[in-house]
Each structure stands twice: as C-alpha cells, then as structure tokens.
Amino acid sequence: MQDSHGPGTQALPGFLFMDGSTITSSVGIVAPRVAKFSEPVALRCGAVIDEYELVYETYGTLNAEGTNAVLVCHALNASHHVAGTYADDPSAVGWWDNMIGPGKPVDTNRFFVVGVNNVGGCHGSTGPKSVNPGTGKPWGGQFPVVTVEDWVATQARLADHLGIRQFAAVMGGSLGAMQALAWTIQFPDRLRHALVIACTPNLSAQNIAFNEVARQAIITDPDFHGGDYYLHGATPTRGLRVARMVGHITYLSDDVMASKFGRQLKHGRLNYSFDTEFEIESYLRHQGNKFAEYFDANTYLRITKVLDYFDPAFEHGGDLARALAPARASFLVISFTTDWRFSPERSREIVKALLHNRRNVTYAEIDAPHGHDAFLLDDARYHRLVEAYFNRIALDVGA
Amino acid sequence: MQDSHGPGTQALPGFLFMDGSTITSSVGIVAPRVAKFSEPVALRCGAVIDEYELVYETYGTLNAEGTNAVLVCHALNASHHVAGTYADDPSAVGWWDNMIGPGKPVDTNRFFVVGVNNVGGCHGSTGPKSVNPGTGKPWGGQFPVVTVEDWVATQARLADHLGIRQFAAVMGGSLGAMQALAWTIQFPDRLRHALVIACTPNLSAQNIAFNEVARQAIITDPDFHGGDYYLHGATPTRGLRVARMVGHITYLSDDVMASKFGRQLKHGRLNYSFDTEFEIESYLRHQGNKFAEYFDANTYLRITKVLDYFDPAFEHGGDLARALAPARASFLVISFTTDWRFSPERSREIVKALLHNRRNVTYAEIDAPHGHDAFLLDDARYHRLVEAYFNRIALDVGA
C-alpha cells in the first residue's frame, strides 16, 4: 500500500533546493533505535505477546514542554524509516521524505517526529521472523494476527518510553491513517490533531477480495510451509510476487497506468509469446520481484488482515459516529479523486461521522491523477495543505 | 470473463414460463458436433496448424435462403454450449440460455444459431490438450498463441462447412464482442449485423495488468512444467485458482460486491485466523476451486493473450475509424454503466469510429449494477433491446 518511490526529486542530505518559495532539505543521516518492552501485550485476537521490541526513528527535537511530537504511522510495506538516509546507504531515503524534514510540510525545525515499525512487521520490530522465546525458534506461522488497535496500544507504550504524554499530531496515509483514526478513539487525550489521509472507515468487499487473492497466492505457494518457511530454508517468493503485483494494480489509477504505460510494447513489436510484450507487464514483474526480495510473506499476510479487520463501527452496530464519539482531536481528512481503492466517498463517511459529533474537521479532496499512491507523492496543493495545517498547530498548550 | 451462472430462473427443457408478456422456453436437449478441417491455418503469430477440429452446436433451422444464421462467439471461459441442456446432464444449461431460445431475444423459431468453441480452447476444439500430430504428444506449452483474428478465420471456415455464406448477425459479449467486431473487418460481406456487447477497442494497461497477474500465478506454479503438465500427471491448480479469483473481482462491480457480500462474516464472528472470515473470501475461493477443476491452464493463458493482443487500430496508427473502414454491417453496441473492466467510455470509442465511417449504429448504455458480468445476466431492458433489434433484422435479402 505504501511505497517508497526512491529519491526522485527529493533533497539529498547536505543539498538544498528551491521548491516554489520554500527552501527544503532533508533531515540528513539518521539511525534507527530499538525500544524493548517486557510488559506483556494482550492482542485483540486473544493471544498475548510477553515481550517485544519496536524499532523507531526520530527527527527534530522534543521541546521542553513535550508539546511538539508527531507520530507518523506506516502503511502496508513501509517502516520506521520515514525521512532522511542512512550513513551506510545514502540511497535509502525515508518513505515520506518529501513530507517530513526541515522546511517541509511537517517541519522538523518545529516538530519532533517519530516513525515506528509496527509489531508483526519485518523491518526490525518483533514479528514472524523474530525468535519466539517460548520455543526458541522463529514465530513463523505461529505469530498471532494483529490489528490496528494492537498497533496503537504498542505505539502508546513507545510514547511513554519517549516521554511523550500527548502528540501534537498522529498522521498517516492509507493503513497509516487508520492508526491515526484509532488513536483518537483509544487515547483521545493523547493527541491534539489527527491527519487521516487516503483512508476508509473499513475495507469494502472488493478491497477484502484483492487482499484474499494476495493471501491465497502466498499460502498456496509450496515454499510457504504453513508460514514456517524459515525452518525449511525456503521463501514463498512466487506467491509474494503475485501478491505484490495484484496489490500494485490497486494503488495506481487506471488513468495514470494509461498515461505511464498505455499499450507501449517492451520490444517495439509483438512477439506472440509469454515473455513481456507490454511495458506494464515488465513494470509489474519488476515491482513483484523487487518486493519479494525484501519483504516477509508472513508479515504481508498479517498486514492484509490488519486492513481487513479494521472497522471501528463494527462494535457499534455499524454506527461510525458512535464509534468516533470518544475522539477529542481536531482532524485533517484528505482524499484523492482518482483513488479507487479508498475512494473520496469513503473519506466523506469519516467526515460525516466527525461532523455529527461536532468535531473540528478540515476536509480536502485533492484532484490528483495517481490513485491511492497519491498520498506518497509530491503534489504542491496537497503538501501546502498539510503545511498550512501544521503551521496552525499551537505548541503553547498545557502539556 | 464469461460465466455460466447455472440454471437460475432459466426455463428447463419441456417447461414454459411467463416472463412479462413473453412466453419463453429452452431450445431443449442439444448435442455438440465436431467439424474437421484438414486445410492448414496460418496464424498471426507465424505458426501454422495443419489440421484442426471445431466443436459446435446449432439451434433452430437454417432457412432455404440461408439468411437467418446467427453466430454467437464466446468469451473467456465459455464454450460452444450456448443454449439448451444435455440429455446426460440436464444441469448443464448453456451459458447464454437466457438470451437464446424459442421466444427469447434471439428467437430460435426465426434464427439458426451457431455456437462454437474456439481453437486453443479446452471444450473439445483443437487446443493445448489435443495431440500434436507432429509429435504424437499433447501440444501443451507448444500450442501457438492465437488471436481474435485467427478465431474469426476458423469460424469463417465453419460457416463454409455449414453452408452459411452470410450471417444475419454475429454477436458476443466481452471477448465475444471483439470477435463480432473483427468479423466486420475481416469478412465485411459475410455478416449484416454485429452485436458488440460489453466490449473495448483494446485492453487498457490496467486490463493487461490483471491478465499478467493471472498468467504469472499460473506460469510460476511448480505444477505448470512449462505448460507440459499433462505429461507430468500434474495440474497447476493453485495458479489457476488465483488467476480465476483475480479475474472474478474484475467481472463484478464494487457496488454489487458490496450489496451481495459487504463485510458479512462467514461464521458470524471474527476468528482472527487465515480461514475465511468474510463471505467474499468464501465466494472467491469457491469460484477459484470450481474453475480450477474444469478449465485448462494452457487455454487460460492463451485466452488472456487473445484479449491483450486485440487492437484493430494498432496497424492503422491507432486510428480505430480507419481500422473499421472495411465494415459494412449495421451495429448494435451495448455497454453497462457499472462495467469498470470495459467501461462505457471504451464502447463509445467504437461508436464514435463507426459513426465517423457513417455506419448504421444503435448504441445503448444499460444502467445495470452488475459490472462486466451484466452481459450474461437477465435484465429486462437489455434483453428487450436485443429482442427489438433482432425483430428488425430482415431475412428476405439476397443470400
């Protein structure tokens, strides 16, 4: 769902460039840290994880009053590495580096930004690849099914660990936005603003259907071994590749696929074979291969489930306003016109429920061609909106 | 792409029922026949098939003047079995039985209807499962890539075989409609009407992308053996299942999925497991399993390629009007509002090109909730339109 599009036009560390009238730059070289938690966490599914680690990064400085912290929640395939680069790998630019940094919409000269890899992930936090202390072997297929609510609970413990009593804002796009929304319900007093971008109050049948295709591709791969492929020295690469290909189609709009690839041929002429004939095939295979190299199949399975299960209104008879009744935050809700995965219509359901509850809501539908992926891309109107919103966030509040 | 939805409300042989004011019934018990062709056919891909068989069915009677023949072309997974049932399997109702029969929109009391399984298929016509006379083994992965144009060429030979010089109409939905369109270009004098339903002048990048996911699921299945799985006593069931699941999502509209399944739970409560949680998952798995039992993976691969390659404008610099310049037929073009696979917009491209060429065109956009599959379903407005169109087809023409 979330995709680091590489450096693109992003500023490299040490470089400054003009973007309109704003000088933007990178947070520079960063390093992830690890927080260990030994208090057990009870998950929604009924399972308990006795101890776990969260990998995180921070950018900027927490002010003395502790009022300027911003939590950035990641979506499907991203991580704690939100901004900046690594000393040993300058090409590893954070997935939301165009949004977060000095002089950027989320200005790290003013805000202290936290990125965290969620439990169940495959970027360093405790997940299916980790050793299960109960067995001394990798969790694999035994790693429990996690939920947005579980993630938010563990993120709150990270906030405690960092001495953050209340976030100025919790923000995310797609699955990241679901976490921001859940924060306002679970910990209404621990955030003042929620940025809910390219979100939906729950997955539609079609959304679930695409996730299920991805899961079946992975689970039926003979190299999956019920999730215990680590012990077999195998990787369900074929399934993961197909899963990523189908996902990728849903992140892009039909229009942007048409303008980027159309029916362009790979070799300039038709070959009437099962090799790649069209550029779009080549692009998808490339995306699938790249993803299968670095992403863990067990994590992918669980993250699609996290998406499927998210439905705050479920326990309130489908009444989203009732589900959101505890929320006290102010909201910036943003959708993108060509996002057919989580369409503007679905964001409007969230806005309607919040207005019903007389919450302070700013809503924008950005006319962008890129589909669901738009939330990750450079778009001047989108970025200026976020920038303006953050400029209005007051820091002189009782912490 | 095409799906026989089972008997549903269709008349069983020997039964009559009232549908509005029209008495409709089935063509009853039918039997397929086989036509053998020993004259080689040169395919677009450069390969030559020396001899081949086509399985077909006919309903109604060819009149003395030979002016009342209608060719029905099938789409992705259907066959020559268009209407009626089989003596040994009364549940095997033809895939377009709601459209074709005595008193039905295509009235077999008036028209002589021909259904044919295309070359490369898996319902009896020469295809990958057939024995390659050159090797004495099944063609398997060596069966050539076929195209819409190849199919039309072989269908024309079947027409010769049946003594049909000119069809009153050639009709089809989806990939079937592409064949009807190709007939008007390749054999302009051999049909008077073309019914082009739920069609597109070519596949979009997104359409090709979905096909490519399906192909990769099949090709990377370890049981595929480069297409020679027959010789290994294997079947790439896993890949075929995933391929069908992804296809099926694109045949239905988001709306119809929402109203049919929504977020309904399979077991009434959440189980936080990888078993089916939601009805939509159960439905998709069922569709995938059913399909993988009867359909041949090599055929599926080739038919997705047939779709990808169809692009009559390609050889005319993208100018569809020029591509359709040879056409002499009158046209009924129908699209469905919720068809996001081949949207009404794409059908309008065909209409525009035909009008540019001053062809006789009737165009209807049917407001139907079912998405691409709508062309196979009972819809009174849709069926009355087809009925009215066929009522106007004159049979007293020079044969």
Side-chain angles (χ1 to χ4, degrees), chain B residues 122-176:
Chain B
C122 56
H123 289 95
S125 292
T126 297
K129 284 197 294 188
S130 311
V131 171
N132 176 355
T135 64
K137 290 181 190 162
W139 282 96
Q142 298 308 308
F143 197 86
V145 169
V146 284
T147 63
V148 165
E149 290 78 9
D150 297 328
W151 284 353
V152 167
T154 55
Q155 289 164 0
R157 290 196 187 170
L158 178 66
D160 297 340
H161 173 82
L162 295 172
I164 301 164
R165 202 200 64 77
Q166 183 188 66
F167 284 105
V170 177
M171 70 187 294
S174 188
L175 174 55

Side-chain angles (χ1 to χ4, degrees), chain A residues 12-346:
Chain A
L12 292 173
F15 280 82
L16 296 177
F17 68 90
M18 298 291 291
D19 169 23
S21 58
T22 317
I23 294 176
T24 60
S25 69
S26 165
V27 297
I29 309 264
V30 297
R33 273 174 286 177
V34 180
K36 298 192 183 208
F37 300 87
S38 50
E39 200 187 331
V41 59
L43 304 174
R44 282 251 165 154
C45 67
V48 175
I49 299 181
D50 289 332
E51 50 190 55
Y52 60 98
E53 297 181 355
L54 292 178
V55 176
Y56 68 98
E57 290 180 9
T58 67
Y59 323 111
T61 310
L62 187 64
N63 63 16
E65 303 79 20
T67 59
N68 70 335
V70 173
L71 177 65
V72 177
C73 305
H74 72 73
L76 211 152
N77 70 320
S79 71
H80 52 281
H81 185 38
V82 177
T85 62
Y86 292 142
D88 60 353
D89 183 3
S91 71
V93 177
W95 59 268
W96 222 355
D97 191 82
N98 61 23
M99 182 68 92
I100 289 143
K104 289 186 178 172
V106 183
D107 190 343
T108 48
N109 290 326
R110 189 161 177 250
F111 291 97
F112 174 67
V113 177
V114 181
V116 57
N117 185 218
N118 285 312
V119 168
C122 55
H123 289 95
S125 293
T126 297
K129 281 196 297 188
S130 310
V131 171
N132 176 354
T135 65
K137 288 180 191 162
W139 281 96
Q142 299 309 308
F143 196 86
V145 169
V146 284
T147 64
V148 166
E149 289 79 9
D150 298 328
W151 283 352
V152 167
T154 55
Q155 288 163 1
R157 291 197 186 169
L158 178 66
D160 296 341
H161 173 82
L162 295 172
I164 300 165
R165 202 201 63 79
Q166 184 189 65
F167 284 106
V170 177
M171 71 185 294
S174 189
L175 174 54
M178 292 175 178
Q179 296 162 59
L181 206 55
W183 262 94
T184 70
I185 301 172
Q186 285 173 253
F187 299 103
D189 300 324
R190 297 197 68 175
L191 72 165
R192 300 197 300 283
H193 297 271
L195 280 83
V196 176
I197 306 169
C199 194
T200 178
N202 61 31
L203 262 59
S204 69
Q206 192 189 65
N207 294 148
I208 296 172
F210 280 120
N211 281 346
E212 175 63 4
V213 170
R215 283 190 293 265
Q216 288 300 310
I218 291 170
I219 287 172
T220 64
D221 185 324
D223 285 329
F224 181 64
H225 298 288
D228 295 324
Y229 45 91
Y230 318 111
L231 303 175
H232 291 78
T235 314
T237 309
R238 289 169 292 228
L240 201 50
R241 209 188 278 144
V242 168
R244 180 59 171 175
M245 287 171 74
V246 71
H248 214 86
I249 298 174
T250 69
Y251 312 150
L252 301 181
S253 70
D254 194 13
D255 280 357
V256 87
M257 271 204 180
S259 64
K260 256 175 114 165
F261 306 105
R263 295 180 53 86
Q264 279 170 57
L265 297 171
K266 179 80 180 160
H267 306 291
R269 62 182 192 90
L270 293 173
N271 289 302
Y272 297 102
S273 79
F274 292 96
D275 291 336
T276 51
E277 287 279 28
F278 296 96
E279 286 287 357
I280 179 66
E281 296 173 290
S282 169
Y283 171 77
L284 274 187
R285 288 190 198 180
H286 174 73
Q287 292 292 336
N289 290 339
K290 209 172 65 173
F291 187 70
E293 271 172 30
Y294 79 86
F295 210 82
D296 180 60
N298 279 321
T299 290
Y300 198 83
L301 289 176
R302 277 154 187 80
I303 294 192
T304 61
K305 280 299 212 180
V306 171
L307 283 160
D308 286 6
Y309 286 130
F310 182 69
D311 187 11
F314 180 68
E315 287 167 16
H316 300 273
D319 186 337
L320 187 61
R322 268 178 55 200
L324 286 166
R328 291 289 160 265
S330 294
F331 287 81
L332 174 60
V333 180
I334 300 177
S335 69
F336 299 93
T337 48
T338 54
D339 183 351
W340 61 279
R341 186 175 173 94
F342 298 163
S343 70
E345 204 177 354
R346 303 304 317 271

Side-chain angles (χ1 to χ4, degrees), chain B residues 234-251:
Chain B
T235 314
T237 310
R238 291 171 291 228
L240 202 49
R241 209 189 278 143
V242 168
R244 180 58 169 174
M245 286 172 73
V246 71
H248 214 85
I249 299 174
T250 69
Y251 311 151

